[in-house]
Amino acid sequence: MIPRIPTATCRIQLREGVDFAALTARLDQIADLGVSHLYLSPIFAATEGSTHGYDITDPTRIDDSLGGAEGFAALAEQAKARDLGIILDIVPNHTAFSVQNPWLADVLTHGRSSPRARHFDIDWQAGPLVLPWLPAPFEQMLTEGAFRVRDGQWMFGDLALPLAPGTNATDDLRALHEAQHWRLVHHVLERDGITHRRFFNVTDLIGMRVEDPSVFEDTHALILELVRSGQVQGLRVDHVDGLADPADYLDRLAAALPDTPIWIEKILTGDEPLPDAWATEGTTGYEAGRLITRMLTPAAGLGRLDDAWHDAIGPTPSFADTLTQAKHEILDNELAAERMQLSRMAAHALAPVSEVEPGPEALREAVTALLIATPRYRTYVTARGAGADDRALIEQVAEEAAKGLRSDLVVRQLAGVWAEPSTPAQQAFVTRLQQVSGALLAKAQEDTAGFRWTRYLPANEVGAEPDEATITGPEATEAMARRRVGDMVLTSSHDSKRSEDARARLIAASHLPEDLTALDQAAARMPQAKGVDPRWRWYMVQTALALHGAEDAGERVNTHVEKALREAKQESYWTNPDEAVEGRIADLGRALLEEWDRDAPAALTRLLERGQALILAQLMFKIVMPGFPDVYQGTQGLFLALTDPDNRRPVPWDALAAGDQGDDIGAVKARWTHCLLALRAQMADLLHDADTRVQIDNAGIGLTRRAGKRQLIARLDLPGGAAPADDGAAILDWHGPDGCRVHLREA
C-alpha cells in the first residue's frame, strides 16, 4: 500500500532522453532502492525541445514528447503495481511566453478581448504587449526588409505572429504593426521595457493570475483529474512565493484535493518559519540540506579557512555588503523593468495620502530602499493587512531602508501602505512588491553574490547563508525540533549549486583548512594562474576538488566557468561575455585536474579521504533526521556535479544497478542507501515520533532519535577525538583511511 506521506522519494528529471517509457523500464530498479514514491519534474506540454519542462505551453495537455496521456497512464499503472506513488511537480506561477503557448497566441490575436487575457499577468495600462524578440531595433529591421506578411501572419526569421482580425489589408508594415495588440522591440529592451510579469528575470516565462478562480480552474483542470483518477498521489508546487497570495492558493488547492499531500518549493531565510496556517505538508527541503552542511562544518576550522581566504585574495567586503551591492546592480539591470513598474504603482498607492507628494525619483529611491532592506523572500500581506510577524518585519525593513536617505518620508509612507493596504491600488502595489522582493533576493544572492563571495562554496547553496555556515549542537537540536514529519529532506536537486557528494568533499576543507590552502598556494605557482584573479583561483581550486575524478571533468569545468563568471556579473556577462577571461580561468581549472590526475598531492588525498567520511555521514543524517529523504536521480551512488545543467546529466542506470559491489566510496554509498532506506521503512513508527538531539564537539557529530527506551544513534567520529563508547547493536559501521568513523547503532 502506498503511504500518504512518503517513506522516501526518488526525484526524476524527465526529458533529454527520459520519457515515460524509459522511466517505466527502470521502475523495478527504483522500487528496489527502497523509496515509496516517484517525484517527477513537470509533465505538461512545454516549448519544443525543452530540457526541463518548466516552460509550459499548455497546462491542459501532457507532453507528447514524453508519451502523452496514454504513456503517463501506463507509467502510473506500472508504478502502482510496484507500490510506488507519484508526486508531480506543478508550475502555477508561469507558462511560456511564446507563440507556442495557445492561450498566449489567442491574446496576441485578440488582445484584451481574448477570453484568455485575464489568465496572464499583463500590464495593459502600459500599452500593447511588448515582445522583446527582435535581434535589432524595429525600424532598422523594417528598413532592411526583414518583415513580411504571409497567410495572415507577421513573419520574420522562423517566427510567425498572429495578426488582429481585419488588420492585414494594408501594405504599410509600420501601420500594420501599430494596429496590433503587441509591439515587437529589440531584445535589449527587456531590461526596462516589458509589460508582463516574468519568472525572476526570465522574459520567456509569463506570470499566470491563478489568484483568479476561473484561471485556477483552467490551469489546474488536468492536475485535478490526474489526482482524482488515482494516477498521482501528491503534488509539489514550484516557486510558491511568486504567487499573488500563496496561502489562498494552497487553501484552494487543498479544498479541491482534500487528503492529497502537497509540498511547496519555499526558501526559508535564516530562522524564518513556515507559516503554520498554510495548507501544506511542508517544504521540499532546502533548509534541511543547509542544516546538515552546517552540522558537518566545524567553526574552528572554518575560522582558519576564512583567514587563509583573506590572505589569498586580499581585502574583501563582508557577505552582507556583497549582497547589498548585488541587489543594487540587479535592480539597475536585470529587474529594472520591475522597479520602474513598482515606482509607477507606488505613485498610485500614495495618491490618497495627503502627507506626501512624491516625484518619480523619490518613488524610485523609496522602492529601491525597501527592496534592498527586505531580508527574506517576501511578506504575505493581503487585503486584510499584515499579520503580527509580517508587521514586525515591515517595521524592521522600514527602519533599515530609512538609513542614509535625505528624507525618509516616502519610505515610511510606503511601509505604512505595505502593512495596511486600503485601496485596490495599494493592494496591487503590495502584491507586486512581495513578488519582486523574492525575485530580487534570488537573483542577487543565489545567482550573483554566491559567485562573488566564495570563501566556502558548500555554504553558497540554494536556501543557505554563506556567512552562517556553522551551527552549535543546541541550535541544531532546536532546528530539528521545528521540523515536520511531512518535510522533505533534500541534499541534491536540479537546482543545487553543487551536488551532495561534491559539497561533502568541499566541507572537508573546513576540517582540513591548511590542506585547501596548500592546494591554492600550489595553484598560484602554476603558469596557468598568471592573469587569473586570486578570487577565481580560490574558486577554481574548490571546483576542481569537487569534480576531481568525475567523467569529462575538464570539459565540464569549461561549461561551469562560463556560467559562474556570467552569474557573478563582474568580469563577464551573459549579454557581454569576456571569453578571454573565461578561458584563462577554465584553463587553470583543467590544469589542476590534469596535474592531480598525474600526481595527486598529499593535501588532495587527505581532503578526498575526509570527504568520503562526510559523504556517508551526510547520507546517514539525511535519512535518519525528522522528515523524509529525497534521493535525487543517481545520488544513490557517488554523484559529483556542479550547477545546472551539469546536475541534470544522464543517469548511468546500468552502472548503478551493479554499483554496490566493492570498497570504493560509490559502492559503499550505494549499499548504505539501500540499507538506510530499508531501515527507515522498518522503523517508521520510531522515526515518526522520536525526539531528536544533536551533539557537536571536537570528537565529532552525533544525531540521536529517541522514543521511549528506544534510541537510534548516528555518529561521525573524528580522528583524535574521545568518541563516546559504543552503545547498542551496530547497524552500519565504516572506518575511513584517515581515522574517521561513521556508524549507526540502535540502543
Side-chain angles (χ1 to χ4, degrees):
M1 180 178 177
I2 300 169
R4 182 176 182 276
I5 301 299
T7 302
T9 53
C10 181
R11 169 75 182 193
I12 300 294
Q13 292 296 120
L14 297 166
R15 295 182 164 78
E16 294 195 283
V18 181
D19 58 13
F20 301 139
L23 179 55
T24 300
R26 296 295 178 181
L27 287 181
D28 287 335
Q29 188 174 347
I30 292 170
D32 182 63
L33 188 60
V35 302
S36 60
H37 288 69
L38 299 173
Y39 169 24
L40 303 183
S41 62
I43 65 171
F44 307 101
T47 56
E48 185 177 351
S50 173
T51 61
H52 48 74
Y54 291 90
D55 47 353
I56 291 170
T57 55
D58 189 348
T60 69
R61 291 193 303 110
I62 295 176
D63 204 320
D64 290 336
S65 70
L66 296 176
E70 291 185 3
F72 183 73
L75 169 65
E77 181 181 2
Q78 290 300 313
K80 187 173 294 186
R82 293 161 175 80
D83 289 331
L84 288 172
I86 292 178
I87 297 171
L88 198 59
D89 197 343
I90 64 172
V91 192
N93 179 68
H94 53 265
T95 59
F97 189 57
S98 164
V99 290
Q100 295 180 35
N101 184 333
W103 294 357
L104 186 64
D106 195 71
V107 173
L108 295 175
T109 305
H110 300 287
R112 299 184 72 170
S113 64
S114 166
R116 300 298 186 184
R118 66 187 300 172
H119 288 57
F120 299 101
D121 213 337
I122 297 171
D123 183 7
W124 290 108
Q125 294 182 348
L129 179 59
V130 170
L131 308 179
W133 295 344
L134 297 182
F138 177 85
E139 288 296 331
Q140 176 185 331
M141 293 186 66
L142 183 65
T143 301
E144 294 173 350
F147 304 125
R148 62 191 187 280
V149 174
R150 190 175 68 197
D151 299 329
Q153 294 180 307
W154 180 284
M155 312 284 291
F156 69 96
D158 295 329
L159 189 64
L161 294 171
L163 296 171
T167 64
N168 63 343
T170 175
D171 294 328
D172 185 342
L173 291 181
R174 184 180 291 105
L176 179 61
H177 182 252
E178 291 293 320
Q180 302 312 308
H181 302 290
W182 42 264
R183 289 292 180 273
L184 283 166
V185 301
H186 191 194
H187 68 80
V188 299
L189 291 179
E190 71 177 5
R191 172 181 173 183
D192 54 11
I194 59 168
T195 53
H196 68 279
R197 178 172 66 85
R198 302 180 285 184
F199 168 70
F200 294 168
N201 67 323
V202 182
T203 304
D204 288 342
L205 297 173
I206 182 170
M208 304 299 291
R209 298 184 59 255
V210 292
E211 63 272 20
D212 183 318
S214 64
V215 178
F216 176 91
E217 291 173 8
D218 287 348
T219 55
H220 287 67
L222 178 56
I223 296 168
L224 304 186
E225 177 187 333
L226 292 173
V227 175
R228 290 167 178 167
S229 68
Q231 294 182 64
V232 170
Q233 285 72 41
L235 300 174
R236 180 261 197 191
V237 179
D238 181 68
H239 187 45
V240 74
D241 275 341
L243 304 180
D245 186 345
D248 179 72
Y249 170 81
L250 291 171
D251 284 343
R252 190 179 294 118
L253 190 58
L257 298 172
D259 300 321
T260 299
I262 297 165
W263 290 270
I264 57 172
E265 184 196 29
K266 162 66 182 162
I267 292 179
L268 299 169
T269 304
D271 60 356
E272 177 187 2
L274 185 67
D276 290 333
W278 282 13
T280 177
E281 298 295 338
T283 72
T284 52
Y286 295 129
E287 70 282 354
R290 176 196 179 203
L291 176 56
I292 295 173
T293 295
R294 296 177 75 195
M295 287 167 53
L296 293 173
T297 301
L302 183 64
R304 299 200 304 276
L305 194 67
D306 182 76
D307 291 340
W309 178 59
H310 281 94
D311 289 343
I313 73 168
T316 187
S318 67
F319 179 71
D321 289 343
T322 302
L323 177 58
T324 296
Q325 178 62 33
K327 284 185 172 183
H328 278 288
E329 292 177 20
I330 294 298
L331 286 175
D332 287 344
N333 293 280
E334 284 80 1
L335 296 180
E338 282 73 11
R339 180 172 60 180
M340 290 177 64
Q341 183 189 44
L342 273 172
S343 298
R344 293 194 300 268
M345 298 174 80
H348 293 299
L350 291 179
V353 179
S354 59
E355 293 86 354
V356 62
E357 191 175 17
E361 178 56 25
L363 291 165
R364 188 200 65 81
E365 178 185 66
V367 166
T368 299
L370 290 171
L371 287 169
I372 296 294
T374 302
R376 298 178 179 176
Y377 260 53
R378 59 171 291 172
T379 55
Y380 300 95
V381 181
T382 66
R384 299 182 294 276
D389 290 343
D390 277 343
R391 190 175 297 275
L393 181 61
I394 293 168
E395 290 176 0
Q396 170 193 328
V397 169
E399 290 300 318
E400 182 65 26
K403 293 178 181 177
L405 297 182
R406 296 190 178 187
S407 171
D408 63 2
L409 182 59
V410 180
V411 158
R412 295 194 183 280
Q413 291 293 340
L414 282 178
V417 168
W418 188 354
E420 288 289 343
S422 58
T423 68
Q426 291 180 348
Q427 182 58 49
F429 167 74
V430 171
T431 296
R432 186 53 50 88
L433 179 73
Q434 294 177 137
Q435 291 172 311
V436 173
S437 65
L440 175 61
L441 186 56
K443 295 305 298 180
Q445 179 157 328
E446 296 171 21
D447 294 342
T448 306
F451 287 99
R452 293 180 179 180
W453 206 81
T454 55
R455 170 186 69 170
Y456 179 61
L457 293 182
N460 293 24
E461 193 51 79
V462 179
E465 303 294 336
D467 55 348
E468 297 177 4
T470 66
I471 196 168
T472 67
E475 290 170 339
T477 298
E478 184 179 349
M480 291 287 183
R482 293 195 297 266
R483 291 189 55 74
R484 309 180 185 197
V485 172
D487 278 332
M488 188 176 288
V489 183
L490 178 154
T491 49
S492 285
S493 80
H494 61 293
D495 286 322
S496 296
K497 300 302 182 185
R498 284 121 203 129
S499 66
E500 59 192 56
D501 297 334
R503 192 163 60 248
R505 282 184 173 183
L506 295 175
I507 294 171
S510 67
H511 291 240
L512 305 167
E514 289 76 15
D515 285 331
L516 189 75
T517 303
L519 293 180
D520 178 67
Q521 291 171 346
R525 296 189 293 269
M526 298 175 67
Q528 293 85 356
K530 185 178 180 180
V532 173
D533 189 298
R535 296 177 302 114
W536 285 109
R537 187 189 70 228
W538 184 272
Y539 183 93
M540 289 313 299
V541 169
Q542 293 182 80
T543 300
L545 172 61
L547 211 57
H548 174 63
E551 184 180 9
D552 300 325
E555 178 183 331
R556 293 159 66 184
V557 160
N558 281 348
T559 304
H560 178 74
V561 165
E562 176 185 286
K563 180 164 187 172
L565 266 80
R566 297 180 190 183
E567 294 288 13
K569 307 173 189 70
Q570 290 179 310
E571 292 88 351
S572 191
Y573 309 86
W574 289 110
T575 53
N576 187 20
D578 189 329
E579 295 180 358
V581 170
E582 294 170 358
R584 286 196 296 272
I585 296 171
D587 287 346
L588 175 60
R590 290 197 311 276
L592 283 168
L593 290 168
E594 291 167 3
E595 181 168 305
W596 293 352
D597 283 341
R598 287 193 301 268
D599 185 14
L604 173 66
T605 299
R606 287 190 292 267
L607 287 165
L608 294 175
E609 289 177 350
R610 183 59 54 90
Q612 292 180 7
L614 293 167
I615 286 170
L616 294 180
Q618 177 177 244
L619 172 68
M620 181 175 62
F621 293 152
K622 165 184 176 175
I623 296 182
V624 170
M625 70 186 285
F628 66 90
D630 173 55
V631 180
Y632 182 66
Q633 56 180 28
T635 60
Q636 58 265 48
L638 185 67
F639 187 80
L640 302 173
L642 303 174
T643 306
D644 171 78
D646 194 59
N647 56 27
R648 289 191 281 113
R649 289 167 57 83
V651 180
W653 289 108
D654 291 338
L656 286 169
D660 62 353
Q661 304 299 312
D663 296 325
D664 63 276
I665 190 60
V668 175
K669 186 187 181 189
R671 290 197 297 272
W672 277 42
T673 300
H674 281 85
C675 179
L676 287 165
L677 290 176
L679 178 74
R680 185 162 189 93
Q682 295 162 10
M683 294 189 171
D685 292 341
L686 168 65
L687 294 173
H688 184 280
D689 300 322
D691 293 332
T692 308
R693 181 172 61 87
V694 178
Q695 181 180 357
I696 300 173
D697 53 37
N698 292 334
I701 303 103
L703 186 152
T704 302
R705 304 295 309 275
R706 179 184 293 112
K709 295 182 179 180
R710 294 183 68 191
Q711 291 189 109
L712 197 60
I713 304 166
R715 279 199 59 84
L716 166 63
D717 295 334
L718 298 174
D726 291 345
D727 281 329
I731 300 172
L732 292 170
D733 203 347
W734 180 85
H735 295 264
D738 67 345
C740 282
R741 183 186 180 195
V742 186
H743 52 115
L744 180 68
R745 316 183 76 82
E746 183 179 9

